[in-house]
Amino acid sequence: LACLAGIHRAVTELITRHGVGAVALESTVYVQNLRTVAVLGASRGAALAAAGAAEVAVAEYAPSRIKQAVTGSGKAGKAQVARMVASLLRLARELPPDESDAAAAALCHGWTARA
């Protein structure tokens, strides 16, 4: 429970500090391991609760939609997504996988919301 409270606090702090107007998430994907499903679901719930409490809009995108938006292919691998995110954001280096995935979701939402 302490980890979930930490996620909630961190998301709340980021929303407040940066004046976040929207949260973009990757929709839950099919996972065979029930423990992984439980952990992911609880973590997503903590983040979504923070967004909801802050009255911030939430958008969810399928992993293939995010990959399509960033790389042009819905079947792109994590390495390709990381390279494209670094290139699009003009970063000196690629981000770690979780950060790259989050940035890709944000880019997807930015482009989708403007369309």
Side-chain angles (χ1 to χ4, degrees), residues 10 32 82 97 103:
Q32 290 183 356

Side-chain angles (χ1 to χ4, degrees), residues 21-93:
V23 172
L25 296 172
E26 184 176 291
S27 60
T28 305
V29 296
Y30 176 75
V31 180
Q32 290 183 356
N33 184 319
L34 292 178
R35 180 165 168 75
T36 301
V37 169
V39 170
L40 286 174
S43 300
R44 285 173 51 81
L48 289 169
E55 298 181 355
V56 173
V58 175
E60 293 188 62
Y61 299 96
S64 60
R65 173 67 185 103
I66 295 171
K67 292 173 184 178
Q68 174 71 35
V70 174
T71 70
S73 171
K75 297 185 184 289
K78 282 196 174 283
Q80 186 178 358
V81 171
R83 281 192 303 276
M84 284 302 296
V85 165
S87 176
L88 290 164
L89 297 177
R90 298 182 181 149
L91 303 174
R93 62 173 179 76

